[in-house]
């Protein structure tokens, strides 16, 4: 088990009006450089069948800065990172092309769609000792809300705009794992629509769906938005309200996932859950639910890593139809959504509990318990 991890820490930052203008301008300059870099490679290939390497493109950055003074306002490594992003977009494109998927040629970034800049080698002391400011080269000291400390060694620093809010993402290596004392307990969890999950110990966690609690407000806000003329001041205001409500519900859900995951990780050494489809059918209610579950499982896995616990995803095939007592599987065992009644041995209990138990059994080495 590794005792160190790489983790991303995300914090809200509050640039001043002047810093915000600078950040906006930096994003726009980076966007233009991104598009020029992309076009350069595209033309070289189309016209001369020449594949231009990212290093070649990075080498001309000083000339760009000499010719276009506005680029001197952007940190040189941030510009290098832009070229690097184009390179990664091409590498991903070639990989997809080899795998015969839909390759999807790297796309030009339209105005307003370039949302982040990255400092690939930030100072290890970027955050001020009192934790109130973060130093962004060429921008200055920006107020930060460090709601929890960033651990380990700071590797890269990304500034991200999400609508009108600004965040920093700190990728840190060598983050220590705080292994918690073993409890000797294992659990299987079965996710569902009625209950968010049911454990093999019989605990049921209700589906709170913060999204639905905010649904009324959101519906009103969307109706309001539909009434407004695009481009008008009122339209922008209504749009902001929709975005704010969406974000609030997303945050509530993330917070809730975080709490539930933490509870499980504190109590159990091993947690088994069903493996979800990588690409769920889009649009269906089940797909929306799938997204929530996979977010929850990600939260669970990351917490487990942090505390030295184990999370195992198992194939859930037939776990809801197999009797945990006699091991026989038939569709007839499921009388209703809620009730499991084995037609072979008469075993009778809550269907989710039976499934959670089967999920755990699949994760254990001998299939015992
Ligand atoms: Zn049975």
């Amino acid at each position: 088990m590794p005792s160190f991890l790489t983790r991303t820490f995300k914090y809200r930052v509050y640039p001043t009006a002047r810093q915000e203008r600078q950040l906006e301008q930096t994003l726009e300059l980076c966007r233009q450089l991104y598009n020029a870099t992309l076009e350069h490679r595209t033309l070289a290939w189309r016209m001369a069948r020449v594949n231009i390497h990212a290093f070649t493109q990075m080498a001309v950055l000083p000339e760009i800065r000499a010719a276009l003074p506005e680029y001197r306002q952007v940190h040189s490594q941030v510009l290098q990172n832009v070229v690097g992003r184009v390179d990664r977009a091409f590498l991903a494109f070639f990989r997809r092309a080899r795998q015969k998927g839909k390759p999807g040629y790297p796309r030009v970034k339209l105005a307003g769609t370039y949302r982040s800049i990255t400092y690939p080698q930030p100072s290890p002391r970027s955050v001020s000792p009192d934790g109130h400011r973060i130093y962004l080269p060429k921008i200055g000291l920006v107020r930060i809300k460090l709601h929890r400390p960033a651990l380990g060694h700071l590797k890269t620093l990304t500034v991200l705009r999400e609508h009108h809010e600004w965040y920093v993402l700190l990728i840190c290596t060598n983050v220590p794992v705080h292994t918690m004392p073993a409890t000797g307990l294992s659990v299987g969890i079965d996710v569902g629509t009625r209950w968010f999950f049911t454990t093999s110990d019989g605990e049921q966690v209700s589906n709170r769906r913060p999204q639905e609690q905010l649904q009324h407000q959101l519906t009103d806000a969307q109706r309001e938005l539909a009434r407004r003329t695009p481009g008008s001041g009122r339209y922008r205001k209504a749009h902001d309200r929709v975005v704010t409500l969406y974000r609030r519900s997303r945050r509530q859900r993330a917070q809730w996932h975080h709490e539930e995951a933490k509870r499980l990780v504190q109590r159990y050494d091993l947690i088994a859950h069903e493996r979800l489809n990588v690409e769920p059918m889009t649009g269906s209610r089940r797909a929306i639910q799938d997204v929530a579950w996979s977010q929850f499982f990600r939260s669970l896995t990351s917490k487990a890593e942090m505390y030295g616990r184990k999370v195992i995803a198992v194939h859930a095939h037939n776990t809801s139809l197999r009797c945990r007592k006699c091991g026989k599987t038939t569709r007839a065992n499921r009388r209703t959504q809620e009730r499991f009644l084995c037609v072979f041995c008469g075993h009778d209990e809550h269907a989710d509990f039976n499934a959670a138990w089967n999920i755990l059994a699949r994760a254990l080495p001998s299939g015992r318990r």
Side-chain angles (χ1 to χ4, degrees), residues 21 25 38 53 124 170 231 243 293 301 363:
R21 275 198 304 278
Q25 208 202 343
L38 179 64
H53 200 273
L170 311 183
V243 171
W293 289 328
T301 305

Side-chain angles (χ1 to χ4, degrees), residues 323 325-327 342 344-347:
C323 170
K325 284 275 185 266
C326 71
C342 181
F344 301 99
C345 75
H347 176 58

Side-chain angles (χ1 to χ4, degrees), residues 217-263:
Q217 289 176 51
L218 199 53
T219 311
D220 284 352
Q222 276 161 337
R223 213 170 280 150
E224 169 81 15
L225 181 64
R227 265 203 304 273
R228 301 297 170 203
T229 322
S232 69
R234 281 185 166 149
Y235 178 88
R236 230 169 303 136
K237 228 175 127 190
H239 183 256
D240 279 359
R241 173 126 183 91
V242 170
V243 171
T244 306
L245 287 170
Y246 260 124
R247 182 173 300 144
R248 191 180 301 160
S249 86
R250 244 201 347 258
R251 242 179 236 155
Q252 278 183 6
R253 194 169 60 192
Q255 179 61 26
W256 174 47
H257 286 172
H258 163 85
E259 285 160 17
E260 289 301 334
K262 192 167 176 187
R263 231 166 36 81

